[in-house]
Amino acid sequence: MKITVIGCGRLGTPYTVALAEVGHDVVGVEINPEALAALQDGRCPFDEPGVTDYIRKNVDAGRLRFTDSFDEAVAHGELFFLAVPTPQKQDGATMDVTAVEDSIRQIARRLTRNVVLIGKSTVPVGTAERMAALAADVAPSGVKLRIGWSPDFLREALSMETTLRPARLVLGTSPMDRAVVEAVARQAWAPFVDAGAELLVTDFVTADLTKAAANAFLSTKMSFINLVDNMCRIADADMTAVSRSLGLDPRIGEFGLTPGLGWGGSCLGKDIRAFADRAEDLGAHTTARFLTLVDEVNTARRTMAVDHARAVLGNLAGPTVAVWGASFKPGVGDISDSPALDVAVRLHQAGATVRLYDPSVNHLVERLHPYLAVVDTAQDAVEGADLLMVLTDWQEFSDLDPSVLTAHDKPRTVIDARRCLNPQRWQEAGWIHEPLGYIRPALGDGR
């Protein structure tokens, strides 16, 4: 098929490349000049494993190209996918769908034939139906822009794997357009369905809710294990054993059951806040309160990390804190709502000198937070520091030999906020190893 994807960011780029990889003739549209230049040069415009290799492969094969021209994009596509960003508004709850609306207008007013557009952008519950009405209003007389909506379940650091081998594909559309939209979607997604993905076809609102519910559940699971961690510390129980036992239960599963600094990124926080806001609008007040509490539990871990540092140092005004990690998760060059970076900023605001190292996002931190001292290696961050905090669980940090960091004349403490270090190994190297929230007299119980 000839497919056009509007928006080549963290969602759209892997999706564009995956469609080309399975054999479609794909044009990706990106209006950011820097990102477009990288894509046209055969490079992924952000740090994400494997994407650049797939871009080069499919550009060389003639199945993939990138443009900023909507005229070219509309002329090419018999099917359109929309993957533009929907950032959180300043109110901290609702999503900004301006880019979605603008893209639909740009496509609809140029059409001379009937086509299908499937939205991949995450939108608040109820938005997809409104976008279908917008498309009908803007399209020229006698031309139909049929709308479907397919929430995406991409995982950063595993974007190509989760896009090429999705567990499920959800498609929402209107009863009037269902036959046409489903037929076109099945043609585009045939390689994924043949590989085992289950296709669920439903209405707009239900499709919207599948994404909101999935992210809310994952967020809840990760906040829940942090609440259990609080209880284990208070009761002097072995959190590792509790987590392991829960993960072995097939009804629960092990993903997300490592306590730590909590979740971040461009999706979970934004989505759960938008879900809570919509629930409140609809009168589902208990649901809204529950989702808000999940978010609050997560954010409280950041406060706990700063409190823990203060308990170790006695006073944050003056000491130097080495911070390992600034990306919101390992394997990606993304600082969106990063718990690690948030803690580093809070430490600075409390008076500490922060020396930070991250394997991927040093350049972003330097540009956006120039008051943080960014260094080139993990060892450079630790040299002369009064405390080490591991805030993102990069494999580099887990693999590093702590004995190379011990040439100092005072006891050293590492706060392992991600539980990614081997405690015995660090203790044998002369370090005091403390998981996040380790109870010290000045810390409290973390409730």
Side-chain angles (χ1 to χ4, degrees), residues 1 3 19-26 63-64 187-189 191:
M1 296 182 71
I3 297 176
L19 290 169
E21 176 68 15
V22 298
H24 297 299
D25 180 2
V26 186
R63 293 189 295 266
L64 177 62
Q187 183 180 353
W189 291 335

Side-chain angles (χ1 to χ4, degrees), residues 356-378:
L356 181 147
Y357 167 71
D358 186 278
S360 178
V361 298
N362 275 358
H363 63 295
L364 294 177
V365 178
E366 285 182 311
R367 186 172 79 235
L368 298 174
H369 303 278
Y371 47 83
L372 300 177
V374 176
V375 297
D376 294 331
T377 69

Side-chain angles (χ1 to χ4, degrees), residues 30 35 45 93 95 158 175 177 190 222 239 256 316 343 402 410 435:
E30 178 53 55
M95 293 183 199
L158 296 170
D177 293 334
M222 288 183 275
M239 181 63 228
L316 289 177
V343 170
K410 54 187 174 182

Side-chain angles (χ1 to χ4, degrees), residues 139-174:
S141 178
V143 175
K144 286 189 177 182
L145 174 57
R146 294 183 172 89
I147 299 291
W149 219 269
S150 176
D152 199 85
F153 303 99
L154 173 146
R155 288 175 60 189
E156 285 192 51
L158 296 170
S159 66
M160 290 310 305
E161 178 180 333
T162 51
T163 304
L164 284 169
R165 287 172 286 278
R168 78 284 204 195
L169 295 160
V170 178
L171 176 64
T173 188
S174 68

Side-chain angles (χ1 to χ4, degrees), residues 76-88:
H76 174 82
E78 55 187 311
L79 168 62
F80 295 80
F81 285 100
L82 187 59
V84 295
T86 52
Q88 188 170 282

